[in-house]
Amino acid sequence: MGIAIFCLILGFIIGYLFRDSRKETNAPNTKARPNTRNVYLSYNERQRAKLQHYSDADRIRELNLLSPNESKFMRLLQHQFQHELLIIKDRRFYIADQDRYPIAIFEYRDGSKELKVQDVEDGIPVFIYKAILSSDAIAEDYLFMKNNNSARK
């Protein structure tokens, strides 16, 4: 029994020393995302970059990170904005037109008291919801967006 324990300890020591003595191989770069960014993006390119995912895995990961209430909110948005694209990135819901240009941003935050706030970010309306509101509140925002878009044209 003593010899087995001695061999086991000796094996761990030799393995540890062997691991440190071997040459390191050139490991492939494990970073999936490039860190370089073009600083000189135009306004339109910056807006489209808000909606782009690096890969489908990132897009699916964003969907899996949604809480149950955020998923319900997403379904309310999908029901209201049937003719636009709904893109989820950084826990924000972007409503985009057919050219994948953002026309509105929705945010959902969990809470016990209902709250709805409207703001503007880079010329795009941002609607922040706290707690689940009825679909009537989203329908009001939809009409507000349609009226603003028709006024711009």
Side-chain angles (χ1 to χ4, degrees):
M1 181 72 176
I3 295 174
I5 293 173
F6 176 74
C7 290
L8 184 65
I9 293 172
L10 185 65
F12 280 121
I13 292 171
I14 291 173
Y16 182 76
L17 293 175
F18 178 72
R19 182 183 61 93
D20 288 344
S21 66
R22 65 181 175 178
K23 288 185 177 181
E24 291 186 26
T25 60
N26 291 337
N29 190 2
T30 57
K31 283 191 172 185
R33 299 179 184 177
N35 285 338
T36 59
R37 274 185 70 192
N38 187 356
V39 181
Y40 305 107
L41 295 175
S42 70
Y43 175 77
N44 290 336
E45 291 169 339
R46 280 195 319 264
Q47 296 304 323
R48 284 196 174 94
K50 288 181 180 180
L51 305 179
Q52 290 178 339
H53 291 284
Y54 288 103
S55 66
D56 284 340
D58 287 340
R59 184 180 57 79
I60 293 169
R61 192 174 298 115
E62 293 275 346
L63 288 171
N64 288 337
L65 289 175
L66 295 179
S67 70
N69 286 339
E70 287 173 328
S71 297
K72 292 174 188 173
F73 185 72
M74 179 186 71
R75 286 192 288 277
L76 287 173
L77 288 174
Q78 284 175 335
H79 179 70
Q80 188 64 44
F81 297 96
Q82 294 177 359
H83 302 291
E84 289 85 6
L85 300 172
L86 178 64
I87 299 169
I88 298 149
K89 187 168 181 191
D90 299 328
R91 300 185 82 109
R92 296 177 105 185
F93 303 93
Y94 291 90
I95 306 298
D97 59 7
Q98 297 302 320
D99 296 329
R100 297 185 67 86
Y101 188 81
I103 56 176
I105 302 171
F106 285 85
E107 282 189 30
Y108 176 82
R109 298 178 184 161
D110 284 325
S112 57
K113 185 177 179 184
E114 294 180 354
L115 176 69
K116 182 175 110 173
V117 179
Q118 181 180 351
D119 197 9
V120 176
E121 178 182 300
D122 288 337
I124 299 172
V126 179
F127 303 98
I128 301 172
Y129 287 84
K130 185 174 181 182
I132 293 276
L133 297 175
S134 68
S135 60
D136 297 335
I138 296 174
E140 289 174 12
D141 292 336
Y142 178 75
L143 291 175
F144 174 79
M145 286 175 36
K146 290 297 179 186
N147 291 338
N148 270 359
N149 285 342
S150 63
R152 285 186 200 167
K153 293 179 181 179

